[in-house]
Amino acid sequence: MSPYQSLREEVYEANLTLPKRGLVLYTFGNVSGIDRRAGVVAIKPSGVPYEDLQPADIVVVDLDNQIVAGKLRPSSDTLTHLLLYAHFPAVGGVCHTHSTYAVAWSQAMRAIPNLGTTHADHLTAAVPCTEVMTDEMIRGNYELATGHQILNVFRDQQLSYREVEMVLVACHGPFTWGKNPAKAVYNSAVLEELARMAQLTLSINPAVAPIKQALVDKHYFRKHGSNAYYGQEGY
Amino acid sequence: MSPYQSLREEVYEANLTLPKRGLVLYTFGNVSGIDRRAGVVAIKPSGVPYEDLQPADIVVVDLDNQIVAGKLRPSSDTLTHLLLYAHFPAVGGVCHTHSTYAVAWSQAMRAIPNLGTTHADHLTAAVPCTEVMTDEMIRGNYELATGHQILNVFRDQQLSYREVEMVLVACHGPFTWGKNPAKAVYNSAVLEELARMAQLTLSINPAVAPIKQALVDKHYFRKHGSNAYYGQEGY
Amino acid sequence: MSPYQSLREEVYEANLTLPKRGLVLYTFGNVSGIDRRAGVVAIKPSGVPYEDLQPADIVVVDLDNQIVAGKLRPSSDTLTHLLLYAHFPAVGGVCHTHSTYAVAWSQAMRAIPNLGTTHADHLTAAVPCTEVMTDEMIRGNYELATGHQILNVFRDQQLSYREVEMVLVACHGPFTWGKNPAKAVYNSAVLEELARMAQLTLSINPAVAPIKQALVDKHYFRKHGSNAYYGQEGY
Amino acid sequence: MSPYQSLREEVYEANLTLPKRGLVLYTFGNVSGIDRRAGVVAIKPSGVPYEDLQPADIVVVDLDNQIVAGKLRPSSDTLTHLLLYAHFPAVGGVCHTHSTYAVAWSQAMRAIPNLGTTHADHLTAAVPCTEVMTDEMIRGNYELATGHQILNVFRDQQLSYREVEMVLVACHGPFTWGKNPAKAVYNSAVLEELARMAQLTLSINPAVAPIKQALVDKHYFRKHGSNAYYGQEGY
């Protein structure tokens, strides 16, 4: 039995959730998970359809992107995932999709404003959108540069990756993360719904403004932190 | 056998209808039912996924929100439900969702105008939208205040909760009710469709006005009241 | 065996197609069929959910709307169907739904312009939209008046009910018809798709104009009339 | 056993993918495949519902559109397919649908701009839209003229059919192609998603411009050509 079997199965299951939740067409998305003690990341192989995927197909790489286990090539986005793991130490899973509404906001190069409590239940700020990359970044190590664009927008806007677990890469699409691969996928599904709600809200009332800070705080801290009272112990 | 078993099963079934009708993502909604003779309300437990839910998980509280039966924490929105039951004496079930189009109108802070007979078949007025809460209300007993915002908009607009069984809470989402939990869910599904039809109608003709009163009356009273001639006896 | 069994089964099957095609929510639609030799129309009973419907529930009425067979109340829209049968002698089935996009155009009180070949494959004109009824019509025999509004728009625009098998009733929704109940439902599904395509087309290019007459003629007569060359004999 | 059995089965399977991917209503689409050594094209029969289709129903024609095998009439669009095969020598499959969003752009007579990496992953240019046909072309050999309109837009815009495997026919809808019938259908599904993403992007930010050339090149050549590093050998 491979020493990475449980990590691979966890990552495999999280990847299969993408088509079930309607977040991907064909192979347009990937999920990874990290075992920080072992120093390895397991990730979807590049270009393999979800319906063909087996747990043993999940590629295991070390933190320098060297393949440790698996016969297939890892996702072409692996370097982006690795950079996020390196800078976001509490993160256990990362997810990237081309889900329709989140891509539309990314292509529109607009942050998704916090327009209601569905948004505030999950994050305290607008979903940030990165700057467009320079030509030099694109022609250099593109996937690493994608990760740096994400780090840059979090630095520039002084955002916490623990309170904002999602981002839009301009002209591209969303990345999300969480304590494990399943939570990263959960955040991708939530982001897609927030993106859809915001697009519809603006079509009904183009002049709408973000909700007031008291409402953001109320909903976010109802679900997060030591005073949270939503949900059950152990869920 | 629990004395509340039939109420719990009714509330359980109504909650399961939410994902079947596409009205919820993950745990974003809850249905309750009341037994007015016993003085108890049964409601979904907070944060439990619908696919994991069992009838015995449904929490039973008294009208002061004290748990009477059940091992789980009740929905964080329970106080809103209880206030509606207290002020709307003919109501037997209450439903709250974050369904996409109804949320979009709530976030747009716009009442849904009565633009056609699908709307008039179900209610005589625009679907009202509450005022935004003050910071004091948000920082106080928020869920109770949510209920008061609903009562306030019904009072201010002189609406009957029997003729208008749905409301939008500004920046948040819809609440609906009815003679029993299943009817409350029915109203949530109808509201979502009315919200979608109205958004599309305005995108085709932004200058459209609400329908004439004679048409409202005709359709509403075709289905409601002593002269109704829609449907069958006993349905 | 009822003398109307085959008609009832045909109407029953056509009604069940409505939820399968996503054209109805709950009980928001009805299909009928006529046996012109027997002088009877079979129609869905009012307010009965499709999943509960049985062939024996289909109500048979004569052309004066007197029940000939069946224990339930016929659709509240029966008089509209009967008027269409009386004035459109080649029609064998009529369908009424509240499908989302067709209702949106009805509520917008706009005819659906002929913007492409999908439309021209099925009809030679814009999908007409009736005038709004006067208060007198609404307060009188409303369902009969609904039928008259349809006849009026066909008369005023000099449309052939054989070349245009669909109409929007202003502030209400679509009616369609065809040589039999199944074809009437087919036309409702096509209309919903035309309505959706047109709404999206206008959102991309608000200045778009209807297609040229040569293209209308080419596509319509590719599928209809003695020079048609689309499809197979016997389909 | 027919000498064309494997081609017919390949074309049959590709046609069945159309309803599975939500790209067609009723019979509104067709896929063909070519056997260039045998000099034959296999194509869906005209007007036959996908659920009734059998491999033996697939019609085999030679390059002059004479039926070589099959008892049914071939798709009315066969001449368009044949012209594309004649001028695009590396193409093995052609697909035509009336998918909703691609039709909306065709009806809007607008090329789909390259707004993001999902688009650039698949083609290097905007999805071109043909000119509207003259009345003479429409009244002459219409289906052949449809093919010529496609060739014309590729010639006028100096596009490579190998780098741009999709086109919008103005007022009509999309045609796509690829190395085999399955790849042609894949391109139809991708086009529909690109069309949807672009419509939503413009609704969020009407002033958005196409992405920079460096990003187009990066994403396209990540997946195509000798330096591609996306996917697996043999997929």
Side-chain angles (χ1 to χ4, degrees), chain B residues 121-186:
Chain B
D121 278 336
H122 293 92
L123 68 167
T124 52
V127 181
C129 185
T130 69
E131 296 288 312
V132 177
M133 281 190 217
T134 63
D135 287 9
E136 289 65 38
M137 292 177 89
I138 294 169
R139 293 190 185 117
N141 189 327
Y142 174 69
E143 289 79 12
L144 198 64
T146 299
H148 280 295
Q149 292 294 87
I150 295 171
L151 299 181
N152 289 347
V153 74
F154 272 69
R155 180 200 63 208
D156 293 349
Q157 299 186 13
Q158 297 187 286
L159 298 171
S160 157
Y161 77 89
R162 290 167 170 271
E163 293 192 2
V164 178
E165 298 185 317
M166 49 188 73
V167 70
L168 306 174
V169 176
C171 309
H172 189 155
F175 280 81
T176 63
W177 49 86
K179 66 180 176 185
N180 56 39
K183 185 69 194 311
V185 173
Y186 171 93

Side-chain angles (χ1 to χ4, degrees), chain B residues 118 193 219 222 229-231, chain C residues 27 46 98 100 133 142-143:
Chain B
T118 321
E193 183 68 3
H219 269 264
R222 205 162 80 141
Y229 57 95
Y230 179 93
Chain C
T27 62
S46 183
H98 285 231
T100 312
M133 281 190 216
Y142 173 70
E143 289 80 12

Side-chain angles (χ1 to χ4, degrees), chain C:
Chain C
M1 201 181 91
S2 158
Y4 310 118
Q5 187 163 341
S6 75
L7 180 64
R8 274 173 151 171
E9 286 180 359
E10 189 181 3
V11 168
Y12 165 76
E13 292 294 343
N15 273 286
L16 288 201
T17 310
L18 295 180
K20 283 181 198 156
R21 290 278 171 191
L23 297 170
V24 288
L25 180 68
Y26 294 113
T27 62
F28 302 2
N30 45 70
V31 188
S32 68
I34 191 167
D35 179 337
R36 288 188 182 270
R37 277 183 302 179
V40 296
V41 165
I43 192 163
K44 181 179 177 293
S46 183
V48 176
Y50 302 99
E51 61 268 29
D52 295 347
L53 205 63
Q54 297 298 329
D57 295 333
I58 300 296
V59 187
V60 183
V61 297
D62 66 19
L63 303 183
D64 297 318
N65 201 21
Q66 299 303 306
I67 295 179
V68 169
K71 295 176 180 167
L72 298 170
R73 195 186 283 178
S75 165
S76 54
D77 299 308
T78 302
L79 281 175
T80 315
H81 290 240
L82 291 176
L83 193 73
L84 296 180
Y85 286 122
H87 287 79
F88 296 170
V91 164
V94 171
C95 177
H96 170 53
T97 79
H98 285 231
S99 68
T100 312
Y101 284 81
V103 164
W105 283 90
S106 303
Q107 293 189 158
M109 295 176 282
R110 291 269 167 91
I112 304 175
N114 189 341
L115 299 178
T117 64
T118 321
H119 190 125
D121 279 336
H122 294 92
L123 68 166
T124 51
V127 180
C129 184
T130 69
E131 296 287 313
V132 177
M133 281 190 216
T134 63
D135 287 10
E136 289 65 36
M137 292 177 89
I138 293 169
R139 293 188 186 120
N141 189 326
Y142 173 70
E143 289 80 12
L144 198 64
T146 300
H148 280 296
Q149 291 295 85
I150 295 171
L151 299 180
N152 290 347
V153 75
F154 272 69
R155 181 199 62 208
D156 294 349
Q157 299 186 13
Q158 297 186 287
L159 298 171
S160 157
Y161 77 89
R162 289 166 169 270
E163 293 191 3
V164 178
E165 299 185 317
M166 48 189 72
V167 70
L168 305 174
V169 176
C171 310
H172 188 156
F175 280 81
T176 63
W177 48 86
K179 65 180 175 184
N180 56 39
K183 186 69 193 313
V185 173
Y186 170 92
N187 282 330
S188 284
V190 167
L191 169 54
E192 181 65 4
E193 182 68 0
L194 298 180
R196 193 174 167 219
M197 287 173 167
Q199 188 266 338
L200 289 167
T201 302
L202 291 176
S203 87
I204 296 167
N205 183 358
V208 77
I211 59 173
K212 49 171 59 181
Q213 192 58 41
L215 199 53
V216 174
D217 292 344
K218 178 67 198 177
H219 269 265
Y220 188 75
F221 293 111
R222 205 162 81 140
K223 280 197 159 182
H224 301 86
S226 56
N227 292 318
Y229 57 96
Y230 179 93
Q232 311 293 334
E233 304 295 323
Y235 260 94

Side-chain angles (χ1 to χ4, degrees), chain D residues 26-40:
Chain D
Y26 294 113
T27 62
F28 302 3
N30 44 71
V31 188
S32 69
I34 192 167
D35 180 337
R36 289 189 183 267
R37 278 183 300 179
V40 296

